[in-house]
Amino acid sequence: TQVTDAAHDFLLRLLPCGFGILNIVLVYGVTRRLFGCVRSAQCAALLFAVAPFQIYYAQELRVYSLYVTLSLLAVGSMTGALAENRRRYWVGYIVSLSLLLYCHYIAMWLMFTLNVAFVALLPRYRHHFWRWTAANALIMILIAPALYRAFAMHATVQDLDVPWYPSPTWKTGL
């Protein structure tokens, strides 16, 4: 008996495809919020829609489309929280970043980058400092189990005689 067939394969790949299509809309929204220009947002959405890697990963049954969705939601929520200081944006920021780390451990780089961006913008948004700190503290509490698992996996991999990937260094982020 066959475990899967073409119809099941299509249905399984429909979810990442849906995230891929949603990402086009999210790129438009985030770009428009960041730059305040409709033409720039349309151009960014068009370039994103025809990018070969996005088309490829939107068809693959992996977490990459979801990762991009959650990343765009995090950036959009961050900009909304700082600009409008509404509760829904703060909750969106916390939820999207928390889910993002459970999606893929490389999300730590995005979290780091968003915090660096906030520190760079601190003179403009200093009145949000305590909300930002509370949001990040809550994120750390929510992702603690994932971080524990990540460190445990790292320790296991370090104990291998022949590792299948090099140890991360400062160049990894670049």
Side-chain angles (χ1 to χ4, degrees):
T1 63
Q2 196 174 21
V3 176
T4 185
D5 59 9
H8 289 103
D9 189 51
F10 171 77
L11 290 175
L12 286 173
R13 292 174 191 271
L14 196 57
L15 185 61
C17 180
F19 283 123
I21 293 168
L22 175 63
N23 290 340
I24 298 168
V25 176
L26 291 173
V27 164
Y28 175 84
V30 169
T31 306
R32 186 166 180 200
R33 177 180 285 280
L34 284 173
F35 298 108
C37 177
V38 173
R39 185 175 302 278
S40 295
Q42 290 171 339
C43 184
L46 175 66
L47 291 173
F48 185 87
V50 299
F53 68 95
Q54 286 302 121
I55 294 169
Y56 177 80
Y57 286 118
Q59 299 174 45
E60 198 170 276
L61 189 56
R62 298 198 182 192
V63 297
Y64 303 124
S65 292
L66 176 61
Y67 182 86
V68 173
T69 302
L70 291 171
S71 297
L72 288 167
L73 287 173
V75 171
S77 295
M78 175 190 164
T79 57
L82 295 178
E84 299 177 27
N85 195 26
R86 297 180 71 183
R87 183 179 304 209
R88 70 179 184 177
Y89 291 121
W90 287 106
V91 170
Y93 175 76
I94 292 166
V95 170
S96 60
L97 278 183
S98 298
L99 289 174
L100 192 58
L101 190 76
Y102 285 95
C103 181
H104 202 292
Y105 294 131
I106 202 166
M108 289 305 294
W109 287 108
L110 179 64
M111 291 178 183
F112 175 75
T113 304
L114 292 179
N115 280 294
V116 167
F118 179 75
V119 169
L121 296 170
L122 194 55
R124 182 192 293 176
Y125 296 111
R126 98 174 32 101
H127 55 282
H128 293 309
F129 178 78
W130 291 113
R131 281 193 179 101
W132 184 265
T133 304
N136 280 287
L138 184 55
I139 289 168
M140 292 306 292
I141 291 168
L142 292 172
I143 66 172
L147 288 177
Y148 175 77
R149 183 69 188 132
F151 285 117
M153 286 175 56
H154 178 71
T156 301
V157 169
Q158 292 304 310
D159 290 340
L160 295 174
D161 291 333
V162 181
W164 56 277
Y165 68 91
S167 296
T169 64
W170 66 273
K171 292 180 183 179
T172 306
L174 299 176

